Structure formats: structure tokens, C-alpha cells
Amino acid sequence: MAHASDAQTQDPNSLRHFVGLTIGSIGVVYGDIGTSPLYAFREALRPVSADGVTQMEIIGIISLMIWTLTIIVTIKYVLFLLRADNDGEGGTLSLLAMLIKTAGGSKTILIFLGLIGAALFLGDAMITPALSVMSAVEGLKLVTPAFDEWVLPISVVILIALFAIQSQGTAKVSRYFGPITAVWFIAMGAGGVLHITDDISILWAFNPIYAVTFLIHEQFVGIVVLGAVFLTVTGAEALYADLGHFGRRPIQWAWFLLVFPALTLNYLGQGALVMKHPETMENPFYLMFPSWALLPMVLLATAATIIASQAVITGGFSLVRQAIHLGYLPRMQILFTSETNTGQIFLPAVNIILLVGVLALVLGFESSDALATAYGISVTGAMVVTTLMAFEFVRARWHWPRLLAAVALAPLLVLELIFLGANLLKIHDGGYVPVLMAIAFTLIMWTWKRGTLILAEKTKRIDVPLTSFATSIEKSIENKSAHAPVNVPGTAIFLTSDPESAPAALMHNLKHNHVLHEKNVILTIRTVNKPRVAQENSFSVEKLNDRFTLIELRYGFMQSHNVSQALGYLRKCGIKFDIMSTSFYLGRRKLVPDAESGMPMWQDRLFIALANTSTDPSDYFHLPANRVVELGSHVII
């Protein structure tokens, strides 16, 4: 996916580029929300269908759906949140990175909110493929009942194949995502148009009074229905998360020109169909279409759900990469599947975790009906988190008074909390699954962040200040002291996270080998709270003396930490060293749990387990494998 800015899209000479981004966003950004009509209205009907559904109930439910799309997606995401960007990037962690810059005492609260939002999104990345693919494949049962027993095996095969191709990248097929999904939306809209005339009174659903009247009349059942109604906006977070891939205006144009009208028409058509033919409420989406179009729609729906799943999986990869670079997860292997597009990435460990989670959900729930009950909690939870963080954004970044920010966002927050409460009613029916997922992911990220801070604090107590060390070692060599190290030719690069202290690898090399290289570079790699850093601003060099030099490399949280590439750029800028006579020294720590460390013993063990799964730094930082030396030490944590 190409990174797009509003400046590009406003340029009249880039109309073709703008149209391409708009069509591309239909497949990636709106793939998930575009599959909601497969199951959302069907699930919303269930709580009121025991004694038959009345005309007013159907109009009320459709009204709830249309106004949920209008308020949550159109107003909150399309018109408001797409403007809350971090140098063009969106998403929970991107917003968190930006807010931390100006956060005061609320930093801890913001971090927890960001981690919870990210954890809920990862849970969504498991549930979406499972629910969407099963919903699409279940349409085969309407083609012929013989497919009834094959829905589960076919879904499993499709999902395994989907995750199996992730390592190949999606660059070659992603160009078709937008057009295929656009056809899907057009077909959905056409199906709705064909049935609106079944009962023209369905158009009263545009009046929000019918939605309010339904909730007042149905009372507790109405709250239960709200949980299913919220399925209409699943995938709305992708609008914000994929902001950096397409830019604000292409996403907005795609919504208003195609996606919103198609969804609205389809829900109206489903409502009118059920009012005229109540027996179709079993699967109103597929029964909208004539028998000759049923199989093509099942195939198109399957393609659309695969594309939606692909977009969510890719979003999961991007979010995990952001979390790694921002220090909330240990290093993992990140592979690039495109030579020209840094957004096309593959994380093998994350891919396996998502696949196992998706298959467990499919095999555990066995049908889209059962899984739909578990779906809404992760989505509503993520939206509540985003709204809370948006309050801090408009206050700190747009400088709104607290009262104005509260008045503007409180109605939206109240509405989302009502939806969240409605979904929490489904805890016992499988809603506990996304809750447990979110707790697990949040706990992992918080443990890693807290553990790394404690580890840094412990090692700092025994560290030697680099400046005084460099001065004393230079004097000992000049004075030919008996304790002076042996001077050897070449350059040694020591990677460290603390440029103010002598790296542990340097101290161990002196202690055990009693040698010091002619040139020593203390290299710090820092991830800044912005998506990208321009190459000319990506480094700083400070010469301590003739023997020691400090270099800091700066990366954005959306960039690859390619040290070899950065050092090649430094050589072009006049910093002289011969890579063939350069050695990279890394410190490897053996962590030992300590009950007095500041974390409970179980959390110590979790942190150590995470550290042990961390990718080798020489691979993560793209260091030349034959030039790396590792020196180990024990640290009690």
C-alpha cells in the first residue's frame, strides 16, 4: 500500500492516483464493515423473533442500524477521527505515541488505554476472519442442503490457505482487492434496491424516532438487540488504523460515494424483504437474491470476506510492529514482502498465533450464529478506548477547553457505553472470549514495558558513565599504564540503549580480553513517537575523543531498523570506517527472577519467557552476521 497525504490527493494532476487510492481503500479499509450485512440484521432479529416480528420492530431495528452507521462511522470516524493523525498515521498506538509527547500526570492512564485498545484490536484480528468466512460459506447451505456438513471443513481450509500465503505478501493480488470489494458493494446495493419496494414503509427507518421508540417499547430486549445492531459497524477501527496507507480524502470519498449508500440500501432491502416474507429471516441477506444469482453471490461473498480478513491480518502485523518499536513487545522477526512498499510486512510468530486463535474459534463455536455473540465486545471496547483518547487529543493537540471537549464527546461516549453494556450481556454466550484475549494481550504488553524499565533501572546502578570512562581509558593508554588495554586496529561498534553509560559488552570485552579497538562507536537506536524520520534527520554524531564516538540512529515506529543500511548512509556523509574491519558487539543478558524486583514472581517469569522469545538483535537490526560478537552476563530481575 502506498503512503498517501492529503497534499497528494488535492493535487489536480494526481487525479488518477487519487482514484486509485480511493478504490484501494474500498478493499482494505471497508472490507470488514462490508461483510457485516451477511449476519448483522439476522442476529438483530433473533431476540424479537420468538413470537413473530412486527412491522414496527423491523423498521425500528433498521433505523437503529442506519443511525449507528451515521453517528459512529460517519461522524466519529470519517469526519472527526481521520483528522486526528500522527504525521499522517492513525490507529490506537499511533494516537498513543502522539499523546505521550504532551501527557502530564495522565501518561500511565493513556498507556493503559492504548494497550487495551491495541489488545482489543488483536482480538478482533482473530474473530473477524473466523466469523466473516463462516458467514460467507454458510450461504452454500441455501444452494443445496448437501453442503450443510461441509461448511466447517471448507471454512477451515480457506482460513489455513489464507494464513499460509501471508509469507508471500499481498502485493500481487492487493491491486484486485479494491475492484472486487467495489463489485461486492454494488451487488449488495442492487440487492437492496430490488426489495425496498416489497414494503415501501421501510423508508420510515430514516426517521430516528422509530429507533428510539423501538428501544423504549422493547426495554431489556431492545438492549439485547443493540448488541447485534453494533455488528453493522465492525471494522470501523480500520478506517483510522489504515489512515496512513491511503490518506484522509480517499477514505472519505469511498465512504460517501459507495460504501455508506450500499450498506444503507442493503439493510433497507433486507428489512422490506422480511416484512413481506417473514420466513426469510433465517438468512435474509442471501434470500434477497434470485436462485440463479445465489451461487455467484456466495462466491463473491467468500472473496469479500477473504479480502476483509486479509486487511485485518495485515492490520495486526502493522500494530504489532508499532508495539515492538514503541517498546511494548519484545523484538520479533519482521519480513518485508515487497521491495518497494515498507507497509507490506510479514511476522511469522504473529501469523501462527493468529492462525491458532482463528482455528480455535471456528472449531469451538462451529457456526457464525454462535460466534457473532462473541464479536461485539472487542469492537465496542476498542471504540470506547478511542473516544477516551480522542478527548485527550482535542484538549492537548487542538487546544479545546476541557468543557468543550467533554460536551462534544460525552454523547458519543455515552452511546458507545450503552452499546458496550449491551454486548457485555453476551458474556456467558461466548463474549468472555474477546475479554480473555484482551486481558492476555494487555498483560503481556504491560509486563514487557514494566519489565524493561525495571531491567534498565537495575543495570544503570552498576553502569560506568561513558564520558569519564572514555577519558580515563585514553589517559591510561597515553601513560602506558600497567592496566591499559592492548590497542588493536579496526573499529568496534557497541550497541546500547543507554548512551550515557559504557556498554556492558565493552566492559566485558575489556575485562576478559584486555583489548580496545583503535576506533570505538557507541551506537544507540531510538524509536521516536512519529511514524517516519527523514533520512537527513535520522542520525546524530558526537565525538568524545579520538578513540570514542557516539552515534544515535533515529527511526519512526513504522520504519524498519536497518542498521547496515543506515551505516552505509553515514559513510556517504563522510563518517569514515571500513565495514570489513568493523566488529559489532552485543550484550546478551541471562535473566534470573527475583521476588524483590518490583514485579510478582509470575510476572517476572512471564517477562523472562518473553525475553527468551525475542528475535536475535543481529537479525532484527540487519547486522552483517559474520561481523557480530556477543558477550553475556547474568542479571537478576
Side-chain angles (χ1 to χ4, degrees):
M1 305 168 198
H3 181 74
S5 67
D6 286 337
Q8 287 175 300
T9 59
Q10 290 171 348
D11 183 358
N13 296 323
S14 63
L15 178 61
R16 183 176 177 182
H17 180 60
F18 173 74
V19 171
L21 288 172
T22 303
I23 294 174
S25 72
I26 293 171
V28 175
V29 175
Y30 295 112
D32 191 1
I33 201 171
T35 60
S36 296
L38 284 166
Y39 47 79
F41 182 55
R42 180 190 72 197
E43 295 304 315
L45 285 172
R46 291 190 188 281
V48 295
S49 61
D51 301 322
V53 184
T54 67
Q55 183 186 50
M56 296 307 293
E57 286 174 334
I58 293 173
I59 293 174
I61 291 172
I62 297 298
S63 184
L64 281 170
M65 289 180 160
I66 290 173
W67 284 99
T68 298
L69 285 169
T70 301
I71 296 171
I72 301 293
V73 183
T74 305
I75 296 176
K76 176 185 175 180
Y77 284 94
V78 176
L79 296 179
F80 168 57
L81 268 184
L82 288 185
R83 298 177 182 274
D85 65 292
N86 185 353
D87 286 345
E89 291 291 338
T92 304
L93 288 183
S94 181
L95 184 60
L96 173 63
M98 177 172 51
L99 293 179
I100 284 177
K101 299 176 188 175
T102 54
S106 61
K107 183 179 289 188
T108 302
I109 297 174
L110 283 173
I111 289 174
F112 260 116
L113 283 175
L115 294 185
I116 292 169
L120 288 167
F121 185 88
L122 288 174
D124 188 22
M126 289 184 181
I127 298 177
T128 293
L131 176 60
S132 299
V133 171
M134 277 202 294
S135 297
V137 176
E138 282 170 353
L140 290 172
K141 294 190 291 186
L142 300 176
V143 177
T144 169
F147 279 114
D148 198 1
E149 296 180 359
W150 290 94
V151 169
L152 203 61
I154 291 173
S155 299
V156 169
V157 169
I158 289 173
L159 289 166
I160 291 175
L162 175 63
F163 282 93
I165 64 170
Q166 293 302 312
S167 61
Q168 306 301 313
T170 59
K172 292 180 181 178
V173 295
S174 61
R175 71 188 69 171
Y176 303 110
F177 285 3
I180 291 173
T181 312
V183 172
W184 167 249
F185 278 113
I186 292 169
M188 279 199 304
V193 170
L194 289 173
H195 288 281
I196 288 175
T197 53
D198 287 355
D199 193 327
I200 203 70
S201 64
I202 193 65
L203 295 179
W204 284 111
F206 284 113
N207 187 341
I209 291 176
Y210 285 86
V212 176
T213 302
F214 173 84
L215 292 176
I216 294 173
H217 182 266
E218 296 294 336
Q219 298 180 359
F220 178 76
V221 174
I223 300 298
V224 176
V225 170
L226 273 181
V229 166
F230 205 81
L231 295 172
T232 58
V233 295
T234 57
E237 281 289 313
L239 278 168
Y240 192 34
D242 288 314
L243 173 60
H245 291 134
F246 298 99
R248 176 164 55 90
R249 293 191 179 277
I251 294 174
Q252 290 175 327
W253 277 77
W255 174 254
F256 287 113
L257 288 182
L258 177 61
V259 179
F260 192 24
L263 291 172
T264 303
L265 289 171
N266 188 266
Y267 286 126
L268 289 170
Q270 288 192 51
L273 174 68
V274 173
M275 281 198 288
K276 186 175 182 180
H277 302 286
E279 69 276 7
T280 60
M281 72 174 65
E282 178 190 352
N283 201 327
F285 178 84
Y286 280 122
L287 293 174
M288 294 174 70
F289 300 94
S291 57
W292 61 266
L294 194 53
L295 184 58
M297 281 305 297
V298 171
L299 296 176
L300 185 58
T302 303
T305 55
I306 289 172
I307 291 169
S309 302
Q310 174 64 58
V312 172
I313 294 166
T314 304
F317 291 161
S318 296
L319 184 140
V320 170
R321 177 172 70 169
Q322 291 183 35
I324 293 168
H325 289 170
L326 291 172
Y328 296 111
L329 285 173
R331 291 186 302 268
M332 298 182 194
Q333 186 180 21
I334 300 175
L335 304 176
F336 290 84
T337 58
S338 171
E339 294 181 1
T340 57
N341 188 352
T342 57
Q344 296 281 344
I345 59 174
F346 171 65
L347 282 74
V350 177
N351 196 58
I352 292 172
I353 292 169
L354 291 178
L355 173 59
V356 171
V358 167
L359 292 180
L361 289 169
V362 170
L363 297 174
F365 286 89
E366 296 186 344
S367 72
S368 64
D369 292 347
L371 190 54
T373 61
Y375 195 22
I377 293 177
S378 60
V379 180
T380 48
M383 288 184 177
V384 168
V385 166
T386 306
T387 301
L388 290 171
M389 294 178 72
F391 171 80
E392 182 66 17
F393 174 85
V394 297
R395 189 193 65 78
R397 308 292 293 191
W398 287 356
H399 308 295
W400 286 17
R402 285 182 180 273
L403 181 60
L404 176 60
V407 169
L409 292 174
L412 189 61
L413 180 62
V414 169
L415 177 63
E416 289 175 344
L417 286 173
I418 292 172
F419 276 118
L420 178 60
N423 278 284
L424 287 173
L425 294 174
K426 301 184 290 188
I427 282 282
H428 63 286
D429 289 327
Y432 61 87
V433 173
V435 173
L436 292 177
M437 286 180 179
I439 291 172
F441 287 133
T442 303
L443 191 61
I444 287 170
M445 289 188 281
W446 178 248
T447 297
W448 182 255
K449 186 69 173 180
R450 190 179 177 196
T452 51
L453 290 174
I454 292 173
L455 182 60
E457 184 64 30
K458 286 205 168 193
T459 54
K460 200 165 189 176
R461 293 174 192 167
I462 58 173
D463 284 343
V464 178
L466 178 62
T467 305
S468 58
F469 170 79
T471 303
S472 64
I473 206 78
E474 186 74 12
K475 287 181 179 178
S476 69
I477 293 174
E478 288 177 358
N479 298 332
K480 298 181 180 180
S481 167
H483 299 290
V486 176
N487 192 30
V488 295
T491 302
I493 297 180
F494 296 91
L495 273 70
T496 180
S497 58
D498 181 12
E500 295 181 0
S501 303
L506 170 59
M507 303 302 289
H508 285 301
N509 193 37
L510 281 174
K511 179 180 178 181
H512 297 289
N513 299 327
H514 309 289
V515 297
L516 188 69
H517 284 72
E518 185 179 15
K519 301 290 183 182
N520 296 274
V521 174
I522 311 302
L523 178 62
T524 304
I525 300 166
R526 188 163 68 90
T527 303
V528 301
N529 285 337
K530 58 190 298 186
R532 295 169 184 83
V533 176
Q535 196 169 45
E536 60 272 16
N537 300 323
S538 65
F539 70 94
S540 59
V541 180
E542 180 186 352
K543 193 170 183 179
L544 298 181
N545 54 38
D546 290 339
R547 196 173 296 273
F548 287 93
T549 303
L550 271 175
I551 295 180
E552 180 180 85
L553 299 180
R554 292 181 287 272
Y555 295 93
F557 55 78
M558 295 294 288
Q559 292 177 299
S560 170
H561 293 180
N562 193 323
V563 171
S564 295
Q565 192 177 69
L567 293 177
Y569 180 72
L570 289 178
R571 289 179 67 193
K572 291 180 182 178
C573 295
I575 299 172
K576 304 297 184 184
F577 61 89
D578 180 12
I579 195 68
M580 296 311 297
S581 62
T582 298
S583 297
F584 293 84
Y585 285 83
L586 305 175
R588 182 173 288 276
R589 298 184 179 114
K590 172 72 174 179
L591 302 179
V592 180
D594 176 17
E596 306 299 322
S597 70
M599 290 197 299
M601 182 62 76
W602 66 266
Q603 204 167 15
D604 274 345
R605 295 189 183 280
L606 175 59
F607 175 74
I608 292 170
L610 291 170
N612 290 337
T613 64
S614 182
T615 298
D616 190 289
S618 59
D619 294 330
Y620 185 79
F621 295 119
H622 302 275
L623 304 177
N626 59 343
R627 309 299 307 171
V628 175
V629 179
E630 292 190 5
L631 297 170
S633 61
H634 278 66
V635 179
I636 298 175
I637 175 80

